Amino acid sequence: MVVRNNAMLTRFLVIAFLSILLSADFAGAHTLGVDKGELVEKGDGAYSLVSKVPQRLAHLITTIRLPERCGLQGNPTGERGTYEVRFSFKCARPLTADDTIFLPWKREGIMLTVNWLDAEPVTRFTRREGEVIPVVLAEYLAGSGSLWAMARRY
């Protein structure tokens, strides 16, 4: 009886030790691959896009691809802070529902909040598709864009 209890106790301790060891390893090395982000319209065609990502993952956030009429300002790889990577850009005309911003980030997706000047903030999850996370602004209630695009949405 004592031998059996010792064997069970040993087995339990080995399983407990392995569980703790594995969970600590995965907890330190793995994230869900989804970051929070914020796109802010500042007026006069100026915008900022922020990825709220821990500094240890900031290298996964790379230069964004914008519509042709828009250009990055400042560091094209983003201004890196302790818990964010910030991109600033300006467009010749404001962004509309016809526009898409491509995030070639090595993440599974982004929970993005868009703050338009004259509208309530909109938050949506956008998932990676192939090599990019496509932020289709129609899904974030950007200005209507063309009548044809508006008709397609409805």
Side-chain angles (χ1 to χ4, degrees):
M1 183 76 160
V2 173
V3 171
R4 185 173 181 207
N5 285 342
N6 282 341
M8 287 177 63
L9 179 60
T10 302
R11 208 173 307 155
F12 171 78
L13 291 174
V14 167
I15 291 171
F17 176 76
L18 289 174
S19 296
I20 291 169
L21 181 66
L22 289 174
S23 66
D25 184 43
F26 287 133
H30 183 68
T31 69
L32 293 176
V34 175
D35 300 315
K36 284 186 172 183
E38 186 175 31
L39 174 64
V40 178
E41 181 180 21
K42 297 181 172 197
D44 295 325
Y47 299 86
S48 69
L49 175 65
V50 178
S51 173
K52 298 176 182 180
V53 60
Q55 194 171 36
R56 67 184 171 84
L57 299 174
H59 68 281
L60 301 173
I61 307 304
T62 57
T63 303
I64 61 178
R65 293 193 334 242
L66 300 165
E68 287 184 17
R69 70 180 183 285
C70 302
L72 287 166
Q73 298 182 316
N75 188 340
T77 61
E79 303 296 330
R80 293 168 191 271
T82 303
Y83 198 78
E84 70 179 27
V85 178
R86 179 179 301 273
F87 296 90
S88 297
F89 62 95
K90 190 157 182 144
C91 300
R93 293 182 325 279
L95 294 171
T96 70
D98 290 334
D99 293 315
T100 300
I101 298 172
F102 295 96
L103 312 176
W105 300 347
K106 297 186 179 23
R107 307 297 287 146
E108 294 306 311
I110 187 168
M111 181 63 75
L112 184 67
T113 299
V114 177
N115 291 296
W116 302 112
L117 276 179
D118 297 324
E120 292 293 316
V122 178
T123 302
R124 299 258 188 279
F125 173 70
T126 300
R127 171 185 323 266
R128 169 185 275 293
E129 293 180 13
E131 296 296 314
V132 298
I133 302 168
V135 177
V136 178
L137 293 180
E139 296 174 7
Y140 291 87
L141 305 176
S144 63
S146 71
L147 290 175
W148 174 246
M150 184 172 63
R152 277 192 318 230
R153 284 195 307 277
Y154 293 102

